[in-house]
Amino acid sequence: MSNHKVHIFDTTLRDGEQVPGCKLNTKEKIELALALEDLGVDIIEAGFPISSPGDFHSVEEISRIIRNASVCGLSRAVKKDIEVAAEALKHAKRPRIHTGIGTSDLHIKAKFNSTREEILERAVQAVKWARNLVEDVEFYAEDAGRTDNEYLARVIEAVIRAGATVVNIPDTTGYCLPHQYGEKIGYLVNHVNNIDKAIISCHCHNDLGLATANSISGVIAGARQIECTINGLGERAGNTSLEEVVMVIKQHADLGFHTRVNSQKLNPVSRLVAETMRMPVQPNKAIVGSNAFSHSSGIHQDGFLKDSLTYEIINPEEVGADGSKIVLTARSGRSALAHRLHKIGYSFTRNDIDTIYGKFLQVADTKKEVNEEDLQNLAKAYLASTVEV
Ligand code: KIV
Ligand code: ZN
């Protein structure tokens, strides 16, 4: 069976950094860029050089340091933007300019007060300017998710002819359903004559919670690059989460794809990004949330303690998490109680546990979680009650 490489394009430092409150200074950006390189991403979108002198400086410094990933700078389809991006990237070993323009009728009319033909010409011109400055040029068709497929195919064919090496099909507003996004990529694969000369990229936003599903659907339909961020950070409801797509591809090896990412570094990098950006991760977040490997209901705990595979599809070590946790609440069962008591040194019989369990529930009903101190108290009280006088 064929096994295709999916390029991981990380945009934590650009789309992720657009989140209010997540702005990074150059030192912080460099630290995260090095962690992303070490994680094994293929492309680091380091910033939007024309947006501010600070971001220009960050892209320039990241370009000097990163050697094992392409470094990418964003631009609009504007000559000055493209020239500034090239300047910021001049020290990069593998520089990439990411340029593009809105292609949906809504963007063409509302944002540009223009026409489809004029936008197509501007797209081609932008790619030509960029190709005069660097070898690797990615074109984005902003709001491709809501762009008419026939027109989108014409734009994509024209920008590839102009020299685009990667064509990004963003679902900018997170509007598409997974089958629609997959069909869009499939349409391009089948209707763009020169599509074999470029890599198709997915850039899906999470407004309906479908970013990961849409990106995977895109890859199944022929895309070979996913744009994503650590912890799913990004505009509004965020971007496709890097850790999710990497683990979907790894868990479903039968799909025939792989990435270069070292999954054991996912949790450490997630924590670093959360701390540096001061943006905590929701506890129930897949792969990197603090509850991703916690079991608290009696039925789950009992099964998990008999065989972890009953309730865990990923070994926490595989993603660098601390390990599975048995959390005690009023919904927990006797097996979990016995397990946690055993961990702090008490080996009780089944009958002992039956008795302690009644007391445990009384405590658990008054609290969110029964902690180690509560367990010590329960065990000691039980032992004291059994001492003959
Ligand atoms: O969401 C989007 O369309 C973007 C582009 C600039 C690639 O972030
Ligand atoms: Zn985006």
Side-chain angles (χ1 to χ4, degrees), residues 175-364:
Y175 175 73
C176 291
L177 294 171
H179 73 278
Q180 292 170 331
Y181 190 73
E183 278 164 18
K184 191 170 280 289
I185 301 296
Y187 185 91
L188 298 176
V189 170
N190 292 320
H191 291 85
V192 173
N193 281 328
N194 50 6
I195 200 70
D196 57 314
K197 306 227 162 24
I199 290 175
I200 302 178
S201 183
C202 309
H203 179 112
C204 299
H205 278 267
N206 206 29
D207 299 66
L208 292 172
L210 293 170
T212 294
N214 283 348
S215 300
I216 297 295
S217 180
V219 165
I220 292 171
R224 291 293 173 265
Q225 177 177 287
I226 295 179
E227 307 197 4
C228 45
T229 59
I230 300 292
N231 302 336
L233 291 169
E235 285 273 2
R236 305 181 308 281
N239 277 74
T240 301
S241 138
L242 182 148
E243 55 279 6
E244 292 176 14
V245 287
V246 163
M247 289 315 291
V248 171
I249 288 171
K250 200 164 180 202
Q251 286 296 115
H252 290 272
D254 51 307
L255 289 174
F257 302 112
H258 68 277
T259 73
R260 208 168 61 84
V261 168
N262 176 351
S263 65
Q264 290 183 336
K265 300 202 167 155
L266 288 172
N267 268 274
V269 174
S270 159
R271 279 195 292 270
L272 179 68
V273 168
E275 279 159 23
T276 314
M277 289 192 156
R278 289 163 285 277
M279 183 57 71
V281 176
Q282 71 194 60
N284 58 318
K285 171 79 183 59
I287 321 293
V288 293
S290 56
N291 285 346
F293 300 98
S294 291
H295 306 273
S296 86
S297 93
I299 297 172
H300 288 214
Q301 291 172 331
D302 184 52
F304 173 80
L305 290 169
K306 287 173 176 150
D307 181 344
S308 63
L309 292 179
T310 53
Y311 288 97
E312 269 183 5
I313 59 161
I314 298 169
N315 178 343
E317 278 172 24
E318 199 182 331
V319 292
D322 287 340
S324 310
K325 274 186 273 171
I326 294 286
V327 178
L328 295 178
T329 72
R331 306 290 158 262
S332 300
R334 288 173 175 75
S335 320
L337 176 62
H339 169 82
R340 286 285 303 273
L341 284 168
H342 187 73
K343 277 187 85 172
I344 56 169
Y346 297 97
S347 291
F348 289 115
T349 65
R350 192 75 215 176
N351 281 347
D352 297 332
I353 291 292
D354 282 344
T355 311
I356 301 170
Y357 187 65
K359 300 278 181 219
F360 161 80
L361 285 182
Q362 284 171 11
V363 176

Side-chain angles (χ1 to χ4, degrees), residues 16-30:
E17 202 233 14
Q18 289 172 205
V19 174
C22 282
K23 199 197 149 300
L24 301 168
N25 60 37
T26 299
K27 188 167 163 282
E28 291 166 329
K29 273 199 162 190
I30 290 173

